[in-house]
């Protein structure tokens, strides 16, 4: 019978310990709770920290679960399932808004478009499934950066280059935008990525209230905005769509 690997067992026990009870624990607390020598516990914590599974608070020195666990935790949700759950709702959003609809997920420091519904008119359009969008300037990207800790970290580490004169690149200004996004529940991109184009996006959550994607509309500024402001009925439609998909994924209170 194959023997268990002791170091992995200890690492798993450490993650379970950090995942329950107090949010942050010191080295002594962790070592005594698991019956480990401080040196052994510190070595495991250091390895977990290097892999992103554990984070250490600089001020207190205490440890907590890291953002990489969120990425692993959400991989149970297949992108195809997310797309399947969103099909009806994104079709409805395109019809009600008159604009194209995009469904995006975090991928390689950007937003991967996994579903695209054409604007319901006779204009010539290009299918954008598989395209990548930046995290810092697009509505989809800002939503993911605001709600997903992994996306947030990647947006901060990425080269936030300007696409237009409206692109927000400075760290402090970008963080303020994310605070606004979390406060109001949606993000906007008005000519921050493409001249003459505006977008609105809202987050999609799963049954554990973890962010698994974002949905949004994109169209000409003169259609998405009215007198310099986003049209409230379009904002409401996008948020309703995101809530509907979230409910289909088992999220409560949407």
């Amino acid at each position: 019978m194959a023997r268990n690997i002791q170091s992995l067992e200890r690492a798993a026990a450490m993650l379970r310990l950090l995942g329950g009870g107090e949010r942050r624990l010191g080295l002594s607390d962790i070592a005594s709770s698991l019956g480990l020598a401080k040196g052994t516990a510190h070595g495991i914590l250091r390895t977990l920290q290097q892999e992103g599974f554990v984070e250490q608070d600089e001020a207190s020195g205490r440890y907590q679960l890291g953002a990489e666990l969120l990425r692993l935790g959400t991989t149970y949700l297949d992108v195809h399932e997310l797309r399947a759950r969103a099909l009806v709702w994104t079709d409805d959003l395109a019809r009600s808004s008159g604009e194209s609809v995009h469904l995006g997920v975090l991928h390689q420091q950007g937003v991967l478009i996994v579903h695209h519904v054409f604007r319901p008119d006779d204009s010539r359009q290009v299918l954008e499934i598989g395209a990548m969008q930046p995290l810092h300037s697009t509505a989809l990207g800002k939503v993911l950066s605001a709600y997903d800790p992994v996306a947030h970290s990647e947006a901060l580490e990425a080269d936030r280059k300007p696409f237009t004169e409206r692109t927000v690149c400075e760290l402090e200004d970008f963080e303020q935008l994310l605070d606004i996004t979390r406060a109001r529940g949606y993000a906007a991109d008005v000519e921050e990525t493409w001249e003459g184009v505006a977008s609105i996006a809202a987050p999609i959550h799963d049954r554990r209230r973890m962010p698994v994607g974002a949905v949004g509309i994109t169209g000409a500024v003169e259609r998405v905005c009215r007198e310099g402001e986003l049209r409230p009925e379009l904002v409401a439609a996008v948020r309703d769509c995101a809530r509907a998909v979230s409910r289909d994924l088992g999220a409560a209170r949407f």
Side-chain angles (χ1 to χ4, degrees):
M1 182 176 178
R3 297 177 60 186
N4 292 341
I5 301 175
Q6 188 180 55
S7 58
L8 292 180
E9 289 181 330
R10 289 172 171 175
M14 199 169 286
L15 292 174
R16 293 191 186 98
L17 178 65
L18 291 170
E22 293 185 35
R23 187 165 179 264
R24 294 175 178 169
L25 293 172
L27 174 60
S28 297
D29 298 325
I30 295 171
S32 61
S33 295
L34 299 178
L36 300 174
K38 281 189 178 181
T40 301
H42 185 257
I44 296 172
L45 284 167
R46 187 172 62 249
T47 301
L48 291 173
Q49 186 177 1
Q50 289 172 347
E51 296 299 323
F53 298 137
V54 165
E55 296 174 354
Q56 186 178 26
D57 180 65
E58 293 182 3
S60 66
R62 290 175 173 267
Y63 295 89
Q64 64 184 23
L65 294 180
E68 183 64 18
L69 284 174
L70 175 63
R71 183 197 295 276
L72 293 179
T74 56
T75 56
Y76 86 96
L77 179 66
D78 188 273
V79 166
H80 295 297
E81 181 184 354
L82 174 60
R83 181 177 178 274
R85 298 285 186 177
L87 285 176
V88 172
W89 302 111
T90 50
D91 283 348
D92 287 347
L93 178 58
R95 282 193 295 269
S96 65
S97 67
E99 303 296 346
S100 62
V101 177
H102 296 88
L103 182 69
V105 298
L106 176 66
H107 181 68
Q108 296 180 348
Q109 294 189 322
V111 183
L112 174 66
I113 304 302
V114 297
H115 184 52
H116 176 200
V117 183
F118 283 162
R119 185 171 60 253
D121 59 21
D122 296 328
S123 63
R124 183 175 180 179
Q125 300 172 63
V126 177
L127 188 65
E128 296 181 23
I129 294 176
M132 292 289 294
Q133 293 187 3
L135 286 170
H136 71 286
S137 63
T138 62
L140 291 172
K142 282 185 275 190
V143 161
L144 291 175
S145 299
Y147 287 90
D148 184 338
V150 177
H152 180 251
S153 297
E154 294 189 351
L156 298 189
E157 294 171 2
D159 178 18
R160 295 183 301 278
K161 65 179 182 179
F163 295 102
T164 73
E165 62 181 16
R166 293 174 176 262
T167 308
V168 176
C169 302
E170 294 300 322
L171 178 59
E172 184 176 349
D173 296 334
F174 181 65
E175 290 281 31
Q176 288 179 356
L177 271 181
L178 299 187
D179 288 340
I180 293 171
T181 297
R182 285 185 285 267
R184 65 188 184 182
Y186 69 92
D189 164 13
V190 180
E191 297 189 284
E192 292 178 48
T193 311
W194 302 282
E195 296 283 356
V197 176
S199 301
I200 305 168
I204 296 172
H205 295 82
D206 67 6
R207 60 184 175 82
R208 296 172 295 175
R209 291 188 63 81
M210 288 185 174
V212 293
V215 64
I217 62 169
T218 300
V221 171
E222 59 267 23
R223 296 196 305 268
V224 177
C225 299
R226 180 187 299 126
E227 297 180 356
E229 300 290 337
L230 296 172
R231 291 170 53 193
E233 66 271 23
L234 294 182
V235 172
V238 171
R239 297 192 68 192
D240 286 347
C241 178
R243 291 191 190 100
V245 179
S246 296
R247 283 196 299 268
D248 272 7
L249 292 172
R253 300 190 300 276
F254 277 94

